[in-house]
Amino acid sequence: MLTDAERRLVEGVLEAGESIERDTFEFMTDEGLPVEDLRVLGGEEGVEPVIDGLESKGLVTTERVEETVRDSSSVADSLAIPGTEFKRVERRYVRFTEDLEARYRE
């Protein structure tokens, strides 16, 4: 059984996924999204406890991935191509499991 917050998060991802030209469950199982991209769906308690709850139920998996991103401290910096700085960051990715998909496809 999912909590209201967990249900809102999953349904929010599925609703947002309608805009991509690919099955949302396939995308979330294969590629996933960084936790930062899901923060808006977390509600008042935040997204981390919701993700941790789903993970403890075996409905999502998380993985830490190190990536190189552009360091755009300001809008002006992000628009300037010459001299652009990059930095390494660690992001926590969330992926759906087949069990989660099975619950929603029923």
Side-chain angles (χ1 to χ4, degrees):
M1 172 129 333
L2 297 178
T3 67
D4 289 339
E6 291 168 347
R7 188 173 296 105
R8 278 193 312 270
L9 176 70
V10 173
E11 289 173 355
V13 170
L14 295 176
E15 186 177 312
E18 291 175 7
S19 65
I20 62 174
E21 294 179 8
R22 183 172 168 192
D23 179 81
T24 304
F25 278 109
E26 177 187 339
F27 175 81
M28 285 301 295
T29 301
D30 294 346
E31 298 178 38
L33 289 171
V35 170
E36 296 81 28
D37 293 351
L38 301 174
R39 290 197 197 285
V40 70
L41 302 173
E44 292 178 16
E45 59 275 343
V47 75
E48 283 85 1
V50 177
I51 291 169
D52 292 342
L54 288 168
E55 189 170 31
S56 72
K57 295 174 184 174
L59 300 175
V60 301
T61 60
T62 61
E63 176 185 12
R64 298 205 179 272
V65 176
E66 191 171 303
E67 298 178 331
T68 302
V69 296
R70 186 186 317 193
D71 183 10
S72 56
S73 303
S74 71
V75 174
D77 291 342
S78 68
L79 298 176
I81 300 296
T84 301
E85 298 293 324
F86 291 90
K87 64 181 178 179
R88 299 288 291 168
V89 296
E90 185 177 272
R91 290 190 172 146
R92 183 178 175 202
Y93 271 79
V94 177
R95 291 183 179 84
F96 287 177
T97 65
E98 291 177 6
D99 290 342
L100 179 62
E101 180 177 7
R103 284 192 188 194
Y104 272 84
R105 296 259 192 216
E106 294 177 346

